[in-house]
Amino acid sequence: MMLTVAKFGGTSVADFDAMVRCANIIINRSDIRVVVVSASAGVTNHLVTLSQQLLSGIEQQQIIQQISDIQYAIINQLHEKQEAGNEIEEILAHLTELVGQQNTLQTAKTADAILSCGEQMSSRLFARVLRQRNCAGAYFDVRDVMATNSLHGKAVVDTDALQINSQTLLGPQLQDVVTVTQGFIGRDGLGNTTTLGRGGSDYSAALLAEAINADDLQIWTDVVGIFTTDPRIAKRAHAIGEISFGEAAEMATFGAKILHPATLIPAIRSSIPVFVGSSREPEAGGTRIMETVASKPTYRSIALRRQQTLVTVKSPAMLHASGFLAKVFAILASHELSVDLITTSEISVALTFDNPQGSTQAVITEKVVEELEQLCDVQVENNLSLVAVIGNELLRSRGVGSRVFDTIPDANVRMICHGASDNNLCFLVPEGEGEQIVQTLHDTLFV
Ligand code: ASP
Ligand code: MG
């Protein structure tokens, strides 16, 4: 039996009609046995606001009401309104309680419990929509299998435990029912709910696919696949039919917002092909991401990642010295900062960091700078964008550098990284120039 895990994102389960479209996809493909859903569109954002404890009691109630309205728009179209309503009311009551608790005792633990409510509700309702369409959909609490550590907000999954739990709890029911479960959430060893980080449902689905030895992972979203670049930047951008794991991993890391960047890790590790398509237009095809693909164009796509920070550390002591970089990285690691790009000269090193506004990930703080300054001179520059040209044999093909940079002769290129990956050439430019550069490159390289 072919075994497919299908994940439906927030817009795909935004309302009743959207859920019905997803149900139809599942009904038409008997190999889809596990369904992972996000919270209905907008719900997680509301929950984040609630979890940040910035609101008055009345504002909290208003937001809970908005969340409730999104659920009831779906419930009201179900045959079993009463039962569905009861199920959701129970979660909303729990949510209200958690939000109330937070005023006295705000912890990351409570925040995760709050954030998990969106997926808990959407998965219950989606299982009902499936059953209403005569498909045996069975609700399953993913926390029973998704074992994580206690790092609330970005919990790390214990893949061995996940595998064992899934074989025991999910394995036996795969033939008989379509399991409907949640992305994004897990449970730690203390029994507390955890979350895997914003957008983590894709990653959950990939981990589940790996745990049950699925043949295929499908990510259903609101775009017909992965595009050559952001169509809002370059009008001629188009969907890519197929792309290799290597290229897609670079794309996900460097800005294409389609997949959570960690999604491909389990897929690559376990050679599970990934399909990305639109639940609105399933017949429009999508992008297949696989270990090896037939077409290997030099230029596959261009990604733009905004809000980059460039840190240059400079130390005359580095001349002919060893161990300097190790010290720099030790400081960064102690602050859980992850470096994206790096270039070095004899006495200085330039490092880039992703620094998106409103993100929960670690950023370069004054404290980090102070610690680095104990070692060396430090310069921090913001307002930069990273342009990543993704393709094949970029290191081995002649003329790639001149082709790319001759196309944008006036660009103020602040840093270039080329040499580590055959699938990626990337460079930093001032924030305000990024879009124009991507547009020009796209329209020249993809004719
Ligand atoms: N609902 C979560 C979020 O919006 C997880 C996800 O949708 O992937 O971040
Ligand atoms: Mg998403």
Side-chain angles (χ1 to χ4, degrees):
M1 180 181 74
M2 268 282 284
L3 189 54
T4 296
V5 173
K7 179 257 175 178
F8 295 92
T11 50
S12 297
V13 294
D15 53 38
F16 181 77
D17 292 343
M19 284 193 176
V20 168
R21 284 193 291 268
C22 299
N24 290 341
I25 291 173
I26 296 164
I27 290 161
N28 286 331
R29 296 166 205 229
S30 56
D31 54 305
I32 299 179
R33 308 310 297 168
V34 175
V35 172
V36 176
V37 295
S38 286
S40 300
V43 171
T44 307
N45 287 343
H46 283 317
L47 293 168
V48 168
T49 311
L50 285 173
S51 73
Q52 284 169 342
Q53 215 198 2
L54 302 167
L55 311 167
S56 68
I58 294 194
E59 287 169 324
Q60 288 174 345
Q61 275 170 23
Q62 280 168 346
I63 293 192
I64 294 175
Q65 187 57 48
Q66 282 168 329
I67 295 173
S68 168
D69 291 346
I70 296 173
Q71 314 307 316
Y72 272 93
I74 302 166
I75 294 170
N76 288 334
Q77 308 227 35
L78 291 172
H79 298 158
E80 297 179 339
K81 293 184 189 42
Q82 188 67 44
E83 295 84 342
N86 292 345
E87 234 173 20
I88 299 305
E89 281 307 326
E90 206 174 298
I91 298 169
L92 289 171
H94 183 54
L95 172 63
T96 308
E97 195 182 309
L98 288 165
V99 170
Q101 265 175 27
Q102 245 206 338
N103 290 333
T104 47
L105 183 74
Q106 200 234 18
T107 61
K109 194 173 88 182
T110 313
D112 268 358
I114 290 174
L115 292 182
S116 75
C117 292
E119 270 73 7
Q120 291 187 54
M121 294 189 284
S122 60
S123 54
R124 281 183 168 84
L125 294 179
F126 188 70
R128 287 184 176 278
V129 171
L130 264 186
R131 289 199 296 271
Q132 188 158 313
R133 303 193 61 84
N134 295 323
C135 174
Y139 169 86
F140 180 82
D141 191 332
V142 84
R143 292 172 293 185
D144 293 342
V145 295
M146 195 66 73
T148 74
N149 67 5
S150 302
L151 201 60
H152 286 284
K154 49 175 174 182
V156 179
V157 175
D158 177 345
T159 49
D160 291 335
L162 169 62
Q163 173 134 30
I164 295 166
N165 297 342
S166 303
Q167 306 281 345
T168 323
L169 295 173
L170 280 177
Q173 69 179 48
L174 290 175
Q175 297 261 8
D176 309 327
V177 293
V178 175
T179 299
V180 178
T181 195
Q182 309 79 35
F184 182 52
I185 69 175
R187 187 184 286 141
D188 70 4
L190 302 167
N192 295 314
T193 297
T194 54
T195 62
L196 311 187
R198 288 305 304 268
S201 291
D202 296 339
Y203 182 47
S204 302
L207 288 171
L208 282 166
E210 179 178 51
I212 61 166
N213 292 320
D215 302 287
D216 211 7
L217 168 65
Q218 299 179 349
I219 307 280
W220 293 98
T221 166
D222 53 4
V223 285
V224 290
I226 298 178
F227 276 61
T228 47
T229 196
D230 184 341
R232 286 166 302 188
I233 298 177
K235 278 204 289 295
R236 280 193 260 170
H238 51 269
I240 299 166
E242 56 168 27
I243 179 170
S244 70
F245 280 145
E247 294 169 90
E250 297 289 339
M251 269 181 90
T253 313
F254 292 108
K257 289 258 162 47
I258 308 272
L259 292 176
H260 183 278
T263 311
L264 292 173
I265 298 170
I268 294 173
R269 193 164 57 204
S270 300
S271 297
I272 303 168
V274 182
F275 168 84
V276 180
S278 164
S279 64
R280 227 170 230 290
E281 305 167 72
E283 65 296 334
T287 303
R288 294 217 128 263
I289 312 171
M290 288 168 294
E291 203 154 275
T292 47
V293 290
S295 73
K296 291 197 171 72
T298 308
Y299 304 106
R300 180 81 80 183
S301 70
I302 304 175
L304 176 68
R305 192 155 73 160
R306 299 175 174 84
Q307 294 177 308
Q308 303 298 295
T309 297
L310 179 68
V311 175
T312 311
V313 295
K314 188 170 174 185
S315 167
M318 192 169 137
L319 197 64
H320 307 307
S322 64
F324 172 72
L325 265 185
K327 286 179 197 148
V328 169
F329 275 87
I331 293 174
L332 298 173
S334 73
H335 291 274
E336 292 182 21
L337 281 158
S338 114
V339 176
D340 286 325
L341 306 181
I342 170 164
T343 62
T344 78
S345 77
E346 186 55 44
I347 60 161
S348 50
V349 185
L351 312 151
T352 73
F353 300 85
D354 198 23
N355 198 15
Q357 232 158 36
S359 127
T360 49
Q361 78 191 44
V363 294
I364 300 286
T365 56
E366 272 176 30
K367 176 109 182 32
V368 178
V369 174
E370 272 166 30
E371 283 179 38
L372 289 171
E373 276 173 342
Q374 310 282 316
L375 283 183
C376 51
D377 294 336
V378 182
Q379 188 196 345
V380 180
E381 290 166 69
N382 287 305
N383 301 322
L384 293 162
S385 283
L386 189 156
V387 178
V389 176
I390 316 284
N392 291 280
E393 304 197 351
L394 291 174
L395 298 177
R396 282 173 281 167
S397 311
R398 269 177 206 284
V400 168
S402 58
R403 183 86 203 278
V404 169
F405 292 109
D406 286 354
T407 305
I408 45 168
D410 299 323
N412 178 4
V413 177
R414 181 63 190 78
M415 174 190 189
I416 301 176
C417 263
H418 187 42
S421 164
D422 217 10
N423 295 127
N424 182 8
L425 179 165
C426 52
F427 51 95
L428 280 185
V429 295
E431 191 92 70
E433 293 177 25
E435 289 202 6
Q436 184 59 53
I437 287 172
V438 169
Q439 196 181 37
T440 308
L441 275 176
H442 184 271
D443 291 350
T444 310
L445 301 181
F446 296 81
V447 278

Coordinates of all heavy atoms in Angstrom, one line a residue, residues 41-106:
A41 N -6.4 29.8 9.1 CA -5.7 31.0 8.9 C -6.0 32.1 9.9 O -7.2 32.4 10.1 CB -5.9 31.5 7.4
G42 N -5.0 32.7 10.4 CA -5.2 33.9 11.3 C -5.3 33.5 12.8 O -5.0 34.3 13.6
V43 N -5.6 32.2 13.0 CA -5.8 31.8 14.4 C -4.5 31.9 15.2 O -4.5 32.4 16.4 CB -6.5 30.4 14.5 CG1 -6.5 29.9 16.0 CG2 -7.9 30.5 14.0
T44 N -3.5 31.3 14.7 CA -2.2 31.3 15.4 C -1.8 32.8 15.7 O -1.3 33.1 16.8 CB -1.1 30.5 14.7 OG1 -1.6 29.3 14.4 CG2 0.1 30.4 15.6
N45 N -2.0 33.7 14.8 CA -1.6 35.1 15.1 C -2.4 35.6 16.2 O -1.8 36.3 17.1 CB -1.8 36.0 13.8 CG -0.7 35.7 12.8 OD1 0.3 35.1 13.0 ND2 -1.0 36.1 11.5
H46 N -3.7 35.3 16.3 CA -4.5 35.8 17.4 C -3.9 35.2 18.7 O -3.8 35.8 19.8 CB -5.9 35.3 17.3 CG -6.7 36.1 16.3 ND1 -6.6 37.5 16.2 CD2 -7.6 35.8 15.3 CE1 -7.5 38.0 15.3 NE2 -8.1 36.9 14.8
L47 N -3.6 33.9 18.6 CA -3.1 33.2 19.9 C -1.8 33.8 20.3 O -1.5 33.9 21.5 CB -3.0 31.7 19.6 CG -4.3 31.0 19.4 CD1 -4.1 29.6 18.8 CD2 -5.1 30.9 20.7
V48 N -0.9 34.2 19.3 CA 0.4 34.8 19.7 C 0.1 36.1 20.5 O 0.7 36.3 21.5 CB 1.2 35.1 18.4 CG1 2.4 36.0 18.8 CG2 1.7 33.8 17.9
T49 N -0.9 36.9 20.0 CA -1.2 38.1 20.7 C -1.7 37.8 22.1 O -1.3 38.5 23.0 CB -2.3 38.9 19.9 OG1 -2.0 38.9 18.5 CG2 -2.5 40.3 20.4
L50 N -2.5 36.8 22.2 CA -3.0 36.5 23.6 C -1.9 36.0 24.5 O -1.8 36.3 25.7 CB -4.0 35.3 23.5 CG -5.4 35.7 23.0 CD1 -6.2 34.4 22.8 CD2 -6.1 36.6 23.9
S51 N -0.9 35.3 23.9 CA 0.2 34.7 24.7 C 1.2 35.8 25.1 O 2.0 35.6 26.0 CB 0.9 33.6 24.0 OG 1.7 34.1 22.9
Q52 N 1.1 36.9 24.5 CA 2.2 37.9 24.8 C 1.7 38.9 25.9 O 2.5 39.7 26.3 CB 2.5 38.8 23.5 CG 3.4 38.0 22.6 CD 3.6 38.6 21.3 OE1 2.8 39.5 20.9 NE2 4.6 38.2 20.5
Q53 N 0.5 38.7 26.4 CA 0.1 39.3 27.6 C 0.2 40.8 27.6 O 0.5 41.5 28.5 CB 1.0 38.8 28.8 CG 0.4 38.7 30.1 CD 1.4 38.7 31.2 OE1 2.6 38.8 31.0 NE2 0.9 38.5 32.4
L54 N -0.2 41.4 26.4 CA -0.1 42.8 26.3 C -1.5 43.5 26.4 O -1.7 44.7 26.2 CB 0.4 43.2 24.9 CG 1.8 42.6 24.6 CD1 2.1 42.7 23.1 CD2 2.9 43.4 25.4
L55 N -2.5 42.7 26.7 CA -3.9 43.1 26.5 C -4.7 43.3 27.8 O -4.4 42.6 28.8 CB -4.7 42.1 25.6 CG -4.0 41.6 24.4 CD1 -4.7 40.4 23.8 CD2 -4.0 42.7 23.3
S56 N -5.7 44.1 27.7 CA -6.6 44.2 28.9 C -7.6 43.0 28.8 O -7.6 42.3 27.8 CB -7.4 45.5 28.7 OG -8.3 45.4 27.6
G57 N -8.3 42.8 29.9 CA -9.2 41.7 29.9 C -10.2 41.8 28.8 O -10.6 40.8 28.1
I58 N -10.7 43.0 28.5 CA -11.7 43.1 27.4 C -11.1 42.8 26.0 O -11.7 42.1 25.2 CB -12.2 44.6 27.4 CG1 -13.0 44.8 28.7 CG2 -13.1 44.9 26.2 CD1 -13.9 46.0 28.8
E59 N -9.9 43.3 25.8 CA -9.2 43.0 24.6 C -9.0 41.5 24.4 O -9.2 40.9 23.3 CB -7.9 43.7 24.5 CG -8.0 45.2 24.3 CD -6.7 45.9 24.5 OE1 -5.9 45.5 25.3 OE2 -6.5 46.9 23.7
Q60 N -8.6 40.8 25.5 CA -8.5 39.3 25.5 C -9.8 38.7 25.0 O -9.8 37.8 24.2 CB -8.1 38.8 26.8 CG -6.6 39.2 27.2 CD -6.3 38.8 28.7 OE1 -7.2 38.5 29.5 NE2 -5.0 38.8 29.0
Q61 N -10.9 39.1 25.7 CA -12.2 38.5 25.3 C -12.5 38.7 23.8 O -13.0 37.9 23.2 CB -13.3 39.2 26.2 CG -13.4 38.5 27.5 CD -14.3 39.3 28.4 OE1 -15.2 40.1 27.9 NE2 -14.2 39.1 29.7
Q62 N -12.2 39.9 23.4 CA -12.5 40.2 21.9 C -11.7 39.3 21.0 O -12.3 38.8 20.0 CB -12.1 41.7 21.6 CG -13.2 42.7 22.1 CD -12.7 44.1 22.0 OE1 -11.5 44.4 21.8 NE2 -13.6 45.1 22.1
I63 N -10.5 39.0 21.4 CA -9.7 38.2 20.5 C -10.2 36.7 20.6 O -10.3 36.0 19.6 CB -8.2 38.2 20.9 CG1 -7.7 39.6 20.5 CG2 -7.4 37.2 20.1 CD1 -6.2 39.8 20.5
I64 N -10.5 36.3 21.8 CA -11.1 34.9 21.9 C -12.4 34.8 21.1 O -12.6 33.8 20.4 CB -11.3 34.5 23.4 CG1 -9.9 34.5 24.1 CG2 -12.0 33.2 23.5 CD1 -9.9 34.2 25.6
Q65 N -13.1 35.9 21.1 CA -14.4 35.9 20.3 C -14.1 35.8 18.8 O -14.7 35.0 18.1 CB -15.1 37.2 20.6 CG -16.5 37.3 20.0 CD -17.4 36.1 20.4 OE1 -17.5 35.8 21.6 NE2 -18.0 35.4 19.4
Q66 N -13.0 36.5 18.4 CA -12.7 36.4 17.0 C -12.2 35.0 16.6 O -12.6 34.5 15.5 CB -11.5 37.4 16.6 CG -12.0 38.8 16.5 CD -10.9 39.8 16.5 OE1 -9.8 39.6 17.1 NE2 -11.1 40.9 15.8
I67 N -11.5 34.3 17.5 CA -11.1 33.0 17.2 C -12.3 32.1 17.2 O -12.5 31.2 16.3 CB -10.1 32.5 18.4 CG1 -8.8 33.3 18.3 CG2 -9.8 31.0 18.2 CD1 -7.9 33.0 19.5
S68 N -13.2 32.3 18.1 CA -14.4 31.5 18.2 C -15.3 31.7 16.9 O -15.8 30.7 16.4 CB -15.2 32.0 19.4 OG -16.5 31.4 19.4
D69 N -15.3 32.9 16.4 CA -16.1 33.2 15.2 C -15.5 32.4 14.0 O -16.3 31.8 13.2 CB -16.0 34.7 14.8 CG -16.8 35.5 15.8 OD1 -17.6 35.0 16.6 OD2 -16.7 36.8 15.8
I70 N -14.2 32.3 13.9 CA -13.6 31.5 12.8 C -14.0 30.0 12.9 O -14.4 29.4 11.9 CB -12.1 31.6 12.9 CG1 -11.6 33.1 12.6 CG2 -11.4 30.7 11.8 CD1 -10.1 33.4 12.8
Q71 N -14.1 29.5 14.2 CA -14.5 28.1 14.3 C -16.0 27.9 14.0 O -16.4 27.0 13.4 CB -14.2 27.6 15.8 CG -12.8 28.0 16.4 CD -11.7 27.6 15.5 OE1 -11.7 26.4 15.0 NE2 -10.7 28.5 15.3
Y72 N -16.8 28.9 14.5 CA -18.2 28.7 14.3 C -18.7 28.8 12.8 O -19.6 28.2 12.4 CB -19.0 29.6 15.2 CG -19.3 28.9 16.5 CD1 -18.4 29.1 17.6 CD2 -20.3 28.0 16.7 CE1 -18.6 28.4 18.8 CE2 -20.5 27.3 17.9 CZ -19.6 27.6 18.9 OH -19.8 26.9 20.1
A73 N -17.9 29.6 12.1 CA -18.2 29.7 10.6 C -18.1 28.3 10.0 O -18.8 28.0 9.1 CB -17.2 30.6 9.9
I74 N -17.3 27.5 10.6 CA -17.1 26.1 10.1 C -18.2 25.2 10.7 O -18.9 24.5 10.1 CB -15.7 25.5 10.4 CG1 -14.6 26.4 9.7 CG2 -15.6 24.1 9.9 CD1 -13.2 26.2 10.2
I75 N -18.3 25.3 12.1 CA -19.3 24.5 12.8 C -20.7 24.6 12.2 O -21.4 23.6 12.0 CB -19.3 24.9 14.3 CG1 -17.9 24.5 14.9 CG2 -20.4 24.1 15.0 CD1 -17.7 25.1 16.3
N76 N -21.0 25.8 11.9 CA -22.4 26.1 11.4 C -22.7 25.4 10.1 O -23.9 25.3 9.7 CB -22.6 27.6 11.3 CG -22.8 28.2 12.6 OD1 -23.1 27.6 13.6 ND2 -22.4 29.5 12.7
Q77 N -21.7 24.9 9.4 CA -22.0 24.2 8.2 C -21.9 22.7 8.3 O -21.9 21.9 7.4 CB -21.0 24.6 7.1 CG -21.0 26.1 6.9 CD -21.0 26.6 5.5 OE1 -21.7 25.9 4.7 NE2 -20.3 27.6 5.2
L78 N -21.7 22.2 9.6 CA -21.6 20.8 9.8 C -23.0 20.2 10.1 O -23.8 21.0 10.7 CB -20.6 20.5 11.0 CG -19.1 20.8 10.7 CD1 -18.4 20.7 12.0 CD2 -18.6 19.9 9.7
H79 N -23.1 19.0 9.9 CA -24.4 18.3 10.2 C -24.5 18.2 11.7 O -25.5 18.5 12.3 CB -24.5 16.9 9.6 CG -24.5 17.0 8.1 ND1 -24.2 15.9 7.3 CD2 -24.8 18.0 7.3 CE1 -24.3 16.3 6.0 NE2 -24.7 17.5 6.0
E80 N -23.4 17.8 12.4 CA -23.4 17.6 13.8 C -23.0 18.9 14.5 O -21.9 18.8 15.2 CB -22.6 16.4 14.2 CG -23.2 15.1 13.6 CD -22.3 13.9 13.9 OE1 -21.2 14.0 14.3 OE2 -22.9 12.8 13.8
K81 N -23.7 19.9 14.4 CA -23.3 21.2 15.0 C -23.1 21.1 16.5 O -22.2 21.7 17.0 CB -24.4 22.3 14.7 CG -24.6 22.7 13.3 CD -25.6 23.8 13.2 CE -26.0 24.1 11.7 NZ -26.2 23.0 10.9
Q82 N -24.1 20.5 17.1 CA -24.1 20.5 18.6 C -22.8 19.8 19.1 O -22.1 20.4 19.9 CB -25.3 19.7 19.1 CG -25.5 19.7 20.6 CD -25.9 21.1 21.0 OE1 -26.7 21.8 20.4 NE2 -25.2 21.6 22.1
E83 N -22.5 18.6 18.6 CA -21.3 17.9 19.1 C -20.0 18.6 18.7 O -19.1 18.7 19.6 CB -21.3 16.5 18.4 CG -22.4 15.5 18.8 CD -23.7 15.8 17.9 OE1 -23.8 16.8 17.3 OE2 -24.5 14.9 17.9
A84 N -20.0 19.2 17.5 CA -18.8 19.9 17.1 C -18.6 21.1 18.0 O -17.5 21.4 18.5 CB -18.9 20.3 15.7
G85 N -19.7 21.8 18.2 CA -19.7 23.0 19.1 C -19.2 22.7 20.5 O -18.4 23.4 21.1
N86 N -19.7 21.6 21.1 CA -19.2 21.2 22.4 C -17.7 21.0 22.4 O -17.1 21.4 23.4 CB -19.9 19.9 22.8 CG -21.4 20.1 23.1 OD1 -21.9 21.3 23.2 ND2 -22.2 19.1 23.1
E87 N -17.3 20.3 21.4 CA -15.8 20.0 21.3 C -15.0 21.3 21.3 O -14.0 21.4 22.1 CB -15.6 19.2 20.0 CG -14.9 17.9 20.2 CD -14.8 17.2 18.8 OE1 -14.9 17.8 17.7 OE2 -14.6 16.0 18.8
I88 N -15.5 22.2 20.5 CA -14.7 23.5 20.4 C -14.9 24.3 21.7 O -13.9 24.9 22.1 CB -15.1 24.2 19.1 CG1 -14.9 23.4 17.9 CG2 -14.5 25.6 19.0 CD1 -13.4 22.9 17.7
E89 N -16.1 24.3 22.2 CA -16.3 25.1 23.5 C -15.3 24.7 24.6 O -14.8 25.5 25.3 CB -17.7 25.0 23.9 CG -18.7 25.8 23.2 CD -18.3 27.3 23.1 OE1 -17.7 27.8 24.1 OE2 -18.6 28.0 22.1
E90 N -15.1 23.4 24.6 CA -14.2 22.8 25.6 C -12.8 23.4 25.5 O -12.1 23.8 26.5 CB -14.1 21.3 25.5 CG -13.8 20.6 26.8 CD -13.9 19.1 26.6 OE1 -15.1 18.6 26.3 OE2 -12.9 18.4 26.7
I91 N -12.4 23.5 24.2 CA -11.0 24.0 24.0 C -11.0 25.5 24.2 O -10.1 26.1 24.9 CB -10.6 23.7 22.5 CG1 -10.5 22.2 22.3 CG2 -9.2 24.4 22.2 CD1 -10.3 21.8 20.9
L92 N -12.1 26.2 23.8 CA -12.1 27.7 24.1 C -12.2 28.0 25.6 O -11.5 29.0 26.0 CB -13.3 28.3 23.4 CG -13.2 28.3 21.8 CD1 -14.6 28.8 21.2 CD2 -12.1 29.3 21.4
A93 N -12.8 27.1 26.3 CA -12.9 27.4 27.8 C -11.5 27.2 28.4 O -11.1 28.0 29.2 CB -13.9 26.4 28.4
H94 N -10.8 26.2 27.9 CA -9.4 25.9 28.4 C -8.5 27.1 28.0 O -7.7 27.6 28.8 CB -8.9 24.6 27.8 CG -7.6 24.2 28.2 ND1 -7.2 24.1 29.6 CD2 -6.4 23.9 27.5 CE1 -6.0 23.8 29.7 NE2 -5.4 23.7 28.4
L95 N -8.7 27.6 26.8 CA -7.9 28.8 26.3 C -8.2 30.0 27.2 O -7.2 30.6 27.7 CB -8.3 29.1 24.9 CG -7.7 30.4 24.3 CD1 -6.2 30.3 24.2 CD2 -8.3 30.6 22.9
T96 N -9.4 30.2 27.5 CA -9.8 31.4 28.4 C -9.1 31.2 29.8 O -8.6 32.2 30.3 CB -11.3 31.4 28.6 OG1 -11.9 31.4 27.3 CG2 -11.8 32.7 29.3
E97 N -9.1 30.0 30.2 CA -8.5 29.7 31.5 C -7.0 30.0 31.5 O -6.4 30.7 32.3 CB -8.8 28.3 31.8 CG -8.5 27.8 33.3 CD -8.8 26.3 33.3 OE1 -9.9 25.9 32.8 OE2 -7.9 25.6 33.8
L98 N -6.4 29.5 30.4 CA -4.9 29.7 30.3 C -4.6 31.2 30.2 O -3.6 31.7 30.8 CB -4.4 29.0 29.0 CG -4.4 27.5 29.0 CD1 -4.2 27.0 27.6 CD2 -3.2 27.0 29.8
V99 N -5.4 31.9 29.4 CA -5.1 33.4 29.2 C -5.3 34.1 30.6 O -4.5 35.0 30.9 CB -6.1 34.0 28.2 CG1 -6.0 35.5 28.1 CG2 -5.7 33.4 26.8
G100 N -6.3 33.6 31.4 CA -6.5 34.2 32.7 C -5.3 33.9 33.6 O -4.8 34.8 34.3
Q101 N -4.8 32.7 33.6 CA -3.7 32.3 34.4 C -2.5 33.2 34.1 O -1.6 33.5 35.0 CB -3.2 30.9 34.0 CG -3.8 29.8 34.8 CD -3.4 28.5 34.2 OE1 -2.3 28.4 33.6 NE2 -4.2 27.5 34.5
Q102 N -2.4 33.5 32.8 CA -1.2 34.2 32.4 C -0.9 35.5 33.1 O 0.2 35.9 33.2 CB -1.3 34.4 30.9 CG -0.3 33.6 30.1 CD -0.1 34.3 28.8 OE1 -0.9 35.1 28.4 NE2 1.1 34.1 28.3
N103 N -2.0 36.1 33.4 CA -1.8 37.4 34.1 C -1.0 37.4 35.4 O -0.3 38.3 35.7 CB -3.2 38.1 34.3 CG -3.8 38.5 33.0 OD1 -3.1 38.7 32.0 ND2 -5.1 38.5 33.0
T104 N -1.2 36.2 36.0 CA -0.5 36.1 37.3 C 0.9 35.4 37.1 O 1.8 35.7 37.7 CB -1.3 35.3 38.3 OG1 -1.8 34.1 37.6 CG2 -2.5 36.1 38.8
L105 N 0.9 34.5 36.1 CA 2.1 33.7 36.0 C 2.4 33.4 34.6 O 1.9 32.4 34.0 CB 1.8 32.3 36.7 CG 2.9 31.3 36.8 CD1 3.9 31.7 37.8 CD2 2.3 29.9 37.2
Q106 N 3.1 34.3 34.0 CA 3.3 34.1 32.6 C 4.6 33.3 32.3 O 5.6 33.7 32.7 CB 3.5 35.5 31.9 CG 3.2 35.4 30.4 CD 4.4 35.9 29.6 OE1 5.4 36.1 30.1 NE2 4.1 36.2 28.3

